[in-house]
């Protein structure tokens, strides 16, 4: 049997009555005198708690009385005993220190995580406060400018409306109708002299399109790009996402210019207003917001329009860039004055109840096209707000509509594909049949047509009787199997695509191919 402290056979063995452990008598007595506890178990221990054990006597050689070796050996023995006790104490202290260090590191890691979360919440609160501070002056200005009537609501001094009463709208005045008519005449005359720009990308160029870049603009925890628009004069792209945000993206630099936060649900539609610094957004939270560039790259919300009672699916801007229309699944579309944010007219079809899911102005501005969840496409006279034509034939919800720049063709997308309509004879002259067409778009020159579905298809436009040839099929690289929107860049030099992930993808001609063509 060996000593529990030194690990050697003890000369004078003793045993602890409390722990039953064996010790060398001189070692345990010294430890008790120094610490008063068992070196192994840590329990209180006294001299009375140790009991000597009788064993066979170990014979040692006799020492020479004429030499000092016995004394030297005794000294060495004492030093060894002290070293054993010190080493044992240090090992216990090291074990305790390791446990304390591990606990401290765990606490430090937890504290860092809490601090990071608090910093994030602080930054979000600061951003919301900043947005609120920018909204308050705009709201006060709107109230002052529209004291008599703002957003279709009566002045505070007028008689209060009943809870179920409709908001009063002044209607589209004769002056505005004259302005719309003059704009229509000027654009129609200009369109007759219209020529295809020489800088327009050729069919051969479109055949070489491939993905040039991919940009994660929206949050990955709520992925999906619902809508898109391009400001061609600056090559700036706006996207609306499922994450409730709209993002302003500079295509040449690949940088995000601004993130528009404020909606509480997904942004279903986003539009630039001409070449101005205004942006419109519509949302499933039943509101439309008008954003203005504050000059430092950040956009402030100037107006929040609450005239709809259900999800707003689309906004479209008139050619004058002074008015716009919003379409909602509450069976109404609203005509707004951009400068004041006032709802001038709220239109519904009394003959049948339909939910509006898409909207677009005709290039000349006197015709409005709307798509519905009942598979019907309706054409409206803006001046009289009367339904002048109706196109049937789709299956499922109409998801997107687009007028050609020539003013003759209308393209509509739905669950059964894309249909082309001749506005002169009010008939369908061609259909592209495939499932779940989510977006359709003519390029600004009217030379090409883009369709977003499970992939992206680019067509060459033609006449009613001629064939519309497929130029290029681009794959949906998001992995979701659903491209939600497609837009042509300036002169069709590139195509921007949004999908049900968080990325905006740019398709165009690779730089090495451009060099060869030049």
């Amino acid at each position: 049997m060996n000593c529990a402290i030194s690990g050697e056979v003890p000369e004078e063995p003793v045993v602890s009555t409390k722990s039953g452990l064996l010790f060398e008598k001189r070692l345990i007595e010294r430890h008790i005198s120094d610490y008063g506890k068992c070196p192994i178990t840590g329990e209180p221990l006294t001299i009375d708690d140790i009991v000597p054990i009788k064993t066979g006597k170990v014979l040692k050689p006799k020492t020479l009385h004429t030499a000092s070796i016995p004394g030297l050996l005794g000294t060495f023995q004492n030093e060894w005993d002290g070293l054993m006790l010190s080493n044992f104490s240090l090992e216990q202290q090291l074990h305790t220190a390791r446990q304390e260090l591990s606990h401290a590191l765990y606490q430090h890691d937890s504290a860092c995580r809490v601090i990071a979360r608090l910093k994030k919440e602080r930054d979000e609160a600061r951003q919301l406060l900043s947005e609120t501070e920018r909204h308050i002056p705009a709201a006060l200005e709107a109230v002052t400018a529209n004291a008599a009537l703002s957003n279709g609501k009566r002045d505070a001094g007028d008689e209060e409306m009943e809870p179920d009463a409709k908001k009063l709208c002044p209607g589209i005045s004769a002056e505005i109708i004259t302005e719309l008519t003059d704009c229509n005449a000027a654009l129609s005359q200009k369109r007759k002299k219209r020529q295809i720009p020489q800088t327009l990308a050729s069919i051969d160029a479109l055949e070489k399109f491939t993905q040039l870049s991919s940009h994660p603009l929206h949050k990955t925890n709520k992925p999906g790009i619902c809508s898109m628009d391009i400001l061609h004069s600056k090559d700036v792209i706006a996207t609306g996402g499922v994450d409730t945000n709209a993002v302003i993206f500079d295509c040449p630099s690949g940088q995000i210019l601004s993130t528009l936060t404020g909606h509480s649900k997904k942004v279903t539609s986003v539009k630039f207003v001409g070449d101005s610094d205004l942006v419109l957004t519509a949302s499933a939270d039943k509101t439309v917001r008008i954003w203005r560039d504050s000059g430092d790259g950040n956009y402030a919300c100037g107006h929040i329009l609450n005239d709809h009672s259900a999800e707003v699916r689309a906004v479209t801007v008139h050619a004058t860039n002074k008015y716009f229309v919003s379409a909602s699944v509450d069976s109404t579309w609203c005509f707004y004055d951009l400068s004041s944010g006032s709802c001038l007219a709220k239109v519904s079809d009394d003959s049948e109840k339909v939910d509006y899911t898409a909207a677009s102005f005709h290039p000349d501005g006197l015709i409005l096209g709307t798509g519905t969840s009942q598979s019907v496409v309706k054409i409206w006279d803006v001046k009289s707000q009367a339904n002048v034509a109706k196109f049937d034939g789709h299956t499922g919800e109409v998801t997107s509509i687009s007028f050609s720049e020539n003013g003759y063709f209308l393209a509509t997308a739905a669950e059964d594909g894309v249909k082309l309509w001749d506005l002169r004879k009010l008939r369908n002259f061609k259909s592209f049949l495939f499932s779940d067409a989510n977006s359709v778009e003519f390029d600004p020159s009217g030379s090409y047509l883009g369709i977003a579905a499970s992939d992206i298809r680019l067509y060459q436009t033609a006449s009613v009787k001629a064939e519309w040839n497929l130029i290029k099929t681009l794959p949906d690289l998001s992995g979701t199997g659903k491209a939600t929107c497609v837009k042509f860049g300036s002169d069709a030099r590139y195509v921007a695509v949004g999908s049900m992930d968080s990325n905006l993808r740019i398709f165009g001609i690779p730089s090495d191919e451009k060099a060869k063509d030049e």
Side-chain angles (χ1 to χ4, degrees):
M1 294 185 292
N2 297 329
C3 174
I5 295 177
S6 65
E8 296 181 350
V9 177
E11 293 181 1
E12 296 182 79
V14 292
V15 66
S16 171
T17 59
K18 291 187 176 181
S19 63
L21 297 173
L22 185 70
F23 300 99
E24 176 70 60
K25 182 177 180 180
R26 66 177 181 279
L27 295 181
I28 190 61
E29 286 180 349
R30 182 179 297 182
H31 189 278
I32 291 174
S33 65
D34 291 342
Y35 299 103
K37 60 182 181 179
C38 178
I40 304 302
T41 64
E43 298 178 349
L45 194 65
T46 64
I47 298 296
D48 297 334
D49 294 328
I50 59 175
V51 178
I53 300 175
K54 293 182 179 181
T55 59
K57 188 174 181 181
V58 179
L59 296 177
K60 292 185 177 181
K62 295 181 179 180
T63 58
L64 297 177
H65 300 287
T66 59
S68 60
I69 291 177
L72 186 60
L73 289 175
T75 302
F76 287 161
Q77 185 66 57
N78 293 334
E79 291 294 333
W80 175 257
D81 294 344
L83 179 62
M84 287 296 101
L85 290 171
S86 176
N87 183 63
F88 183 79
S89 177
L90 288 175
E91 286 181 351
Q92 286 190 322
Q93 292 177 8
L94 176 62
H95 178 68
T96 303
R98 282 177 174 172
Q99 287 182 324
E100 293 176 352
L101 177 60
S102 176
H103 183 66
L105 290 175
Y106 176 77
Q107 289 182 323
H108 178 268
D109 183 63
S110 300
C112 289
R113 292 176 184 273
V114 172
I115 291 171
R117 178 173 58 82
L118 292 176
K119 283 184 176 180
K120 181 180 179 182
E121 292 177 355
R122 180 202 63 186
D123 295 341
E124 291 177 350
R126 285 179 175 176
Q127 186 176 8
L128 289 175
L129 179 60
S130 176
E131 292 290 337
T132 304
E133 289 176 348
R134 287 200 294 264
H135 294 171
I136 291 175
L140 292 176
E141 181 181 353
V143 170
T144 303
N146 301 281
L149 182 67
S150 177
N151 282 344
K153 296 181 180 179
R154 290 185 182 273
D155 187 18
D158 293 344
E159 183 181 356
E160 293 186 359
M161 297 172 62
E162 294 296 328
D164 296 333
K166 294 183 179 180
K167 295 179 180 180
L168 294 180
C169 300
I172 303 177
S173 65
E175 291 79 7
I176 295 177
I177 292 177
T178 301
E179 185 179 5
L180 301 182
T181 304
D182 292 343
C183 177
N184 171 266
L187 292 176
S188 298
Q189 187 65 28
K190 183 179 179 180
R191 184 164 290 103
K192 294 179 180 179
K193 302 177 182 180
R194 181 181 66 92
Q195 293 183 351
I196 302 299
Q198 296 182 353
T199 54
L200 181 70
S202 64
I203 296 176
D204 292 338
L206 266 67
E207 290 177 343
K208 299 176 182 178
F209 274 16
T210 186
Q211 179 173 308
L212 302 180
S213 58
S214 178
H215 308 278
L217 303 186
H218 292 270
K219 297 178 181 178
T220 55
N221 61 338
K222 292 183 178 180
I225 296 177
C226 302
S227 56
M228 183 194 309
D229 196 24
I230 298 180
L231 181 59
H232 294 100
S233 61
K234 299 179 181 179
D235 259 357
V236 174
I237 302 175
T239 61
V242 178
D243 61 357
T244 74
N245 295 333
V247 176
I248 309 299
F249 175 77
D250 182 57
C251 193
S253 66
Q255 300 295 319
I256 295 177
L257 301 180
S258 183
T259 300
L260 314 184
T261 59
H263 285 293
S264 60
K265 294 184 179 180
K266 66 180 180 180
V267 178
T268 55
S269 183
V270 58
K271 287 290 181 183
F272 287 105
V273 180
D275 290 332
S276 68
D277 54 359
L278 295 177
V279 176
L280 305 177
T281 57
S283 171
D285 64 7
K286 309 176 187 179
T287 67
V288 175
R289 290 177 179 244
I290 303 176
W291 307 81
R292 183 182 295 275
D293 188 354
S294 57
D296 57 356
N298 294 318
Y299 282 75
C301 181
H303 296 282
I304 302 176
L305 312 178
N306 301 285
D307 296 281
H308 290 290
S309 60
E311 177 179 344
V312 185
R313 284 290 190 88
V315 286
T316 178
V317 181
H318 189 268
T320 58
N321 294 324
K322 296 181 180 180
Y323 311 99
F324 74 93
V325 161
S326 65
S328 169
V329 295
D330 66 358
S331 303
T332 66
W333 58 267
C334 294
F335 186 92
Y336 288 96
D337 178 12
L338 250 171
S339 60
S340 65
S342 299
C343 178
L344 303 180
K346 189 172 184 178
V347 182
S348 60
D349 191 347
D350 296 332
S351 63
E352 60 178 336
K353 179 178 175 61
V354 291
D355 302 328
Y356 298 109
T357 55
S360 180
F361 272 111
H362 186 274
D364 292 341
L366 287 184
I367 295 176
L368 174 71
T370 58
T372 70
S373 59
Q374 287 74 23
S375 310
V376 178
V377 178
K378 292 193 172 188
I379 307 298
W380 302 81
D381 177 12
V382 178
K383 293 188 296 182
S384 63
Q385 299 96 61
N387 181 208
V388 295
K390 184 170 69 173
F391 298 144
D392 297 308
H394 271 300
T395 300
E397 177 181 297
V398 178
T399 55
S400 175
I401 66 174
S402 177
F403 287 97
S404 173
E405 176 60 23
N406 63 19
Y408 300 147
F409 302 141
L410 170 66
T412 59
E415 293 179 4
D416 58 347
V418 171
K419 292 183 180 294
L420 300 177
W421 309 86
D422 185 352
L423 297 175
R424 295 164 294 186
K425 297 183 179 181
L426 301 179
R427 68 180 183 89
N428 169 228
F429 67 90
K430 188 169 185 60
S431 298
F432 302 104
L433 302 178
F434 45 84
S435 60
D436 295 332
N438 301 306
S439 178
V440 61
E441 184 75 18
F442 284 100
D443 83 297
S445 71
S447 302
Y448 303 116
L449 178 72
I451 300 173
S454 58
D455 52 22
I456 303 93
R457 305 184 187 190
L458 307 180
Y459 289 87
Q460 178 187 13
T461 62
S463 62
V464 173
K465 297 182 180 180
E467 185 66 24
W468 292 51
N469 296 319
L470 176 62
I471 301 173
K472 181 74 173 181
T473 299
L474 304 172
D476 173 34
L477 300 177
S478 68
T480 62
K482 184 177 182 181
T484 55
C485 43
V486 58
K487 290 283 184 179
F488 286 92
S490 179
D491 291 331
R493 294 193 306 270
Y494 66 88
V495 172
V497 176
S499 302
M500 283 310 294
D501 62 352
S502 60
N503 292 357
L504 169 70
R505 290 176 172 81
I506 306 298
F507 293 84
I509 303 178
S511 56
D512 54 346
E513 292 289 343
K514 286 184 180 179
K516 291 180 182 179
D517 294 341
E518 293 175 357

